Amino acid sequence: MPINRRKFIQQTSLAAGALLATGLLPQDAEASSVTDRITILHTNDVHSRLEPFPQDGSKNAGLGGVAARAALIKDIRSQVKNVLLLDAGDIFQGTPYFNLYRGEPEMKAMAMMGYDAATMGNHDFDAGMENYAQQLQHGKFPVLLCNYDFASTPMEGKTVPYKIFMKGNLKIGILGVGIELKGLVPDNLYGNTLYHNPIEYANKYADILHKEGCDLIVCLSHLGDKYSDDKISDEILAKECFDIDLIIGGHTHRFFEEPRKYFNRRGGHTIVNQVGWAGIQLGRLDYSFSRTKKKNLAEAHTVVIGKNTS
Amino acid sequence: MLTRIATYASVVFLALSCTSAQQTTTLNYRDYKIEKQTKVDSNLIKLIAPYGDSVKLVMSKVIGFTTRGLMKRQPEGELGNFMADCLMEMGEKKFNKKIDISYVNAGGIRSYIPKGEISIGKIFELMPFDNLVVLQEVKGNILLQFLNAVAEKGPGGLAGIKMKIKDKVASNILIDGKPLDANKMYTVCTSDYTANGGGEGEVLHGIKQVNMGYLFRDALMEYVEQITKQGKPVDWKTEGRVTY
């Protein structure tokens, strides 16, 4: 959809007007354009880090912890209206909490923080699928995963490929993809789980979300950001997808300097972001869309990234 | 402030690209570091406190004792021998298979066991990683290359084998009392870290692994408990497995 030149002029003058405080408003500004905003908060690879790292003089001493993260999330929620809180997997494994309680306090903490959705990481299989399925009841959030087939496993029926969230005027479609389990997770822990090509399946489900009229399509991914060989990664998915606007990644424990931007198959931008591990960081992405009131957003998004310094 | 930044970006962008066929979206990002001084949510503190208390209780649980303590040493130390013997014995039990050699990489031994009581927390310090016990069938000629890499980097712990390290090369290798046979297949027990090519394990990378999801740390705890059940201290010695 080409940008409407009139809308462009109006928007520009509206914004400029507001900025310069000239008070010169276009007559039909309200009828022609609206701005919708959504704030996406995200974590990945928290690895059972419920408490901050111990004060032992190491690099991460004092960082992380669910109590501080929860307070920050609450603050942000009180400042902005439309918030989605997401996690890209590997909730489990890494501290004695997991060895003892197999994920129960992790899931309860996420429920308390109000996570909207998560995907599954390879370490979430560590105490078995039956355990994950059982702990999920404490999580109270949907697990999104479109490329694992859990038929005749204890996880059957416990995940959904995608979910649509309505936030204000925005329809946000979220799907999830998981990494190849063979060689990564012991065979006996993933049992009969079938792994399907993440690119093919992510595209298939993103297409469904696109046809559903989603304004923003987000993929939670535990594929890893990129590799030196041709192993499937978020980078490859970003370049090979059609309709995914944003990939919230994990697995590689990478602290991104800034979100990465790729051109997708539709010529629009697909953004990839990841925030390290252990809950040391909370990622925040504020999207804002301007559009004419009666029309859907365009097929492909050109994204201008800026740093929020507020 | 946020709104203003977004508006700016959108104006600038539209001004530059009004011929684009794309929908313009602005995205502002921010990474919050979760630091100690950040305020905390008391509900979450309340939620995890009981779990945390019992984690601390469990970590402090004593599962054995040592009259001498176990240290990591080169080329051979009692701690390395203990851990390698653990792999051998618990590995044979778990996999129900005779193991010829077990190996613990030096980098994977993260602490030591001081004289006195051994708590679960001590085992966690020793092996904080979730390394798994794995078996591989390794041909003698490859095993020799592996042992040379071990000799070069310095062994953590070995069991089932005797060897000399001369000029950072393995020599006088005896497995079950017999010289290494380049054509024989040996069952080797290590951690998945080593078997996946980590550290001195480079030549083991790609060789098929048997993996039962058995954590090395769990094997260590079970081994200590087993020794304690027999009424014995966890005392180990060096016995000339690896010499210069």
Side-chain angles (χ1 to χ4, degrees):
Chain A
M1 184 205 302
I3 282 178
N4 180 318
R5 199 166 267 271
R6 201 174 114 157
K7 185 183 121 195
F8 156 66
I9 294 161
Q10 284 165 350
Q11 264 186 343
T12 310
S13 54
L14 173 62
L19 289 167
L20 301 170
T22 57
L24 232 162
L25 288 169
Q27 287 153 355
D28 59 348
E30 204 200 331
S32 66
S33 100
V34 286
T35 299
D36 292 312
R37 300 178 206 286
I38 174 80
T39 297
I40 290 167
L41 302 178
H42 62 101
T43 50
N44 56 275
D45 301 272
V46 178
H47 283 296
S48 302
R49 188 57 58 182
L50 290 158
E51 288 183 84
F53 280 93
Q55 294 288 0
D56 57 2
S58 63
K59 192 176 92 185
N60 294 327
L63 300 181
V66 290
R69 183 169 12 128
L72 176 61
I73 291 165
K74 211 184 249 180
D75 263 7
I76 296 168
R77 280 209 176 102
S78 72
Q79 290 156 13
V80 291
K81 208 172 83 190
N82 298 329
V83 176
L84 281 169
L85 176 59
L86 309 170
D87 185 89
D90 274 8
I91 294 162
F92 289 177
Q93 191 70 272
T95 71
Y97 279 94
F98 180 69
N99 301 79
L100 254 58
Y101 295 106
R102 300 176 159 241
E104 182 185 305
E106 290 88 327
M107 287 287 184
K108 282 184 173 172
M110 287 174 78
M112 211 173 243
M113 286 183 266
Y115 270 80
D116 292 289
T119 192
M120 217 178 154
N122 49 303
H123 280 291
D124 296 321
F125 286 86
D126 282 4
M129 283 188 279
E130 207 157 334
N131 174 68
Y132 186 84
Q134 201 190 334
Q135 301 302 352
L136 257 188
Q137 61 183 333
H138 301 297
K140 300 188 170 45
F141 52 81
V143 176
L144 311 178
L145 205 40
C146 74
N147 67 320
Y148 291 169
D149 180 353
F150 285 122
S152 29
T153 76
M155 281 296 291
E156 185 168 6
K158 304 288 180 189
T159 64
V160 287
Y162 64 84
K163 192 177 165 181
I164 295 170
F165 295 83
M166 287 306 299
K167 290 282 167 182
N169 296 318
L170 291 171
K171 195 171 182 181
I172 318 278
I174 307 184
L175 64 141
V177 286
I179 193 167
E180 180 159 26
L181 300 166
K182 195 172 166 49
L184 188 63
V185 172
D187 296 354
N188 59 322
L189 292 180
Y190 67 88
N192 293 325
T193 306
L194 288 179
Y195 162 86
H196 295 299
N197 183 303
I199 311 274
E200 197 185 308
Y201 275 67
N203 274 334
K204 184 172 115 183
Y205 285 99
D207 183 55
I208 294 173
L209 292 170
H210 178 69
K211 285 176 180 148
E212 287 274 348
C214 288
D215 299 303
L216 185 73
I217 299 175
V218 181
C219 179
L220 298 178
S221 155
H222 203 75
L223 299 174
D225 64 330
K226 58 175 171 181
Y227 301 98
S228 53
D229 57 11
D230 56 2
K231 187 175 163 67
I232 293 177
S233 62
D234 293 337
E235 178 168 273
I236 295 174
L237 176 60
K239 291 175 180 169
E240 294 295 321
C241 71
F242 291 86
D243 302 305
I244 298 170
D245 295 292
L246 169 67
I247 300 169
I248 298 290
H251 188 59
T252 34
H253 294 196
R254 207 92 67 193
F255 289 98
F256 281 22
E257 283 289 314
E258 60 179 4
R260 295 176 189 164
K261 190 157 83 169
Y262 299 95
F263 279 107
N264 58 35
R265 299 279 295 268
R266 232 183 260 288
H269 286 140
T270 296
I271 305 298
V272 179
N273 203 29
Q274 190 181 149
V275 287
W277 70 294
I280 289 171
Q281 280 186 7
L282 175 74
R284 173 175 176 171
L285 301 169
D286 292 288
Y287 274 92
S288 63
F289 304 90
S290 294
R291 60 169 161 182
T292 50
K293 255 189 173 171
K294 289 191 176 116
K295 287 179 180 163
N296 283 334
L297 295 181
E299 297 240 309
H301 297 151
T302 295
V303 183
V304 180
I305 300 180
K307 188 165 184 159
N308 173 356
T309 51
S310 63
Chain B
M1 187 60 199
L2 193 61
T3 317
R4 199 175 302 154
I5 291 168
T7 314
Y8 256 121
S10 145
V11 168
V12 169
F13 183 79
L14 284 165
L16 290 173
S17 63
C18 54
T19 54
S20 164
Q22 308 287 329
Q23 167 87 35
T24 305
T25 306
T26 64
L27 168 61
N28 286 288
Y29 70 95
R30 177 166 175 184
D31 294 325
Y32 296 91
K33 200 168 195 178
I34 312 293
E35 288 173 296
K36 195 147 196 231
Q37 56 270 37
T38 315
K39 61 179 174 182
V40 293
D41 183 329
S42 58
N43 290 327
L44 269 293
I45 298 273
K46 272 182 226 151
L47 170 74
I48 63 167
Y51 294 99
D53 289 346
S54 37
V55 163
K56 274 162 208 125
L57 203 68
V58 170
M59 287 300 126
S60 63
K61 188 189 167 196
V62 174
I63 53 171
F65 74 101
T66 166
T67 63
R68 296 198 293 245
L70 295 103
M71 297 295 291
K72 183 171 156 181
R73 293 180 221 278
Q74 290 291 338
E76 182 191 358
E78 55 275 16
L79 183 57
N81 284 355
F82 160 73
M83 290 173 79
D85 288 348
C86 166
L87 278 184
M88 188 81 128
E89 200 170 327
M90 303 313 284
E92 284 192 343
K93 218 183 213 181
K94 188 80 177 179
F95 292 89
N96 196 21
K97 191 168 184 357
K98 170 91 178 72
I99 293 167
D100 296 306
I101 289 176
S102 65
Y103 179 69
V104 184
N105 66 310
I109 307 176
R110 307 301 289 186
S111 184
Y112 65 100
I113 303 181
K115 197 170 116 173
E117 291 178 331
I118 302 169
S119 65
I120 288 182
K122 273 277 161 273
I123 304 294
F124 267 85
E125 284 173 31
L126 197 62
M127 181 54 60
F129 308 125
D130 295 316
N131 284 340
L132 297 164
V133 179
V134 299
L135 295 191
Q136 287 175 304
E137 298 297 321
V138 182
K139 203 176 169 186
N141 59 339
I142 305 292
L143 183 61
L144 178 62
Q145 290 179 38
F146 171 65
L147 293 172
N148 278 329
V150 167
E152 195 194 327
K153 295 197 171 160
L158 276 159
I161 189 169
K162 269 184 94 159
M163 70 178 206
K164 266 188 188 313
I165 298 177
K166 217 177 162 188
D167 300 325
K168 299 198 166 184
V169 172
S171 64
N172 298 57
I173 304 164
L174 292 175
I175 298 167
D176 195 20
K178 294 180 217 63
L180 184 143
D181 179 345
N183 290 312
K184 197 185 151 183
M185 296 304 287
Y186 293 93
T187 303
V188 178
C189 181
T190 56
S191 70
D192 59 335
Y193 173 79
T194 302
N196 285 332
E200 44 276 45
E202 213 177 322
V203 295
L204 301 180
H205 180 66
I207 299 175
K208 193 175 170 281
Q209 298 174 18
V210 189
N211 175 353
M212 294 181 76
Y214 187 37
L215 288 172
F216 193 179
R217 187 173 52 236
D218 287 345
L220 287 166
M221 284 191 244
E222 287 167 21
Y223 196 42
V224 170
E225 280 165 348
Q226 184 178 299
I227 295 160
T228 305
K229 224 174 254 172
Q230 293 161 2
K232 290 191 282 193
V234 183
D235 287 345
W236 245 253
K237 52 184 194 280
T238 53
E239 51 193 20
R241 293 183 194 184
V242 188
T243 52
Y244 287 130

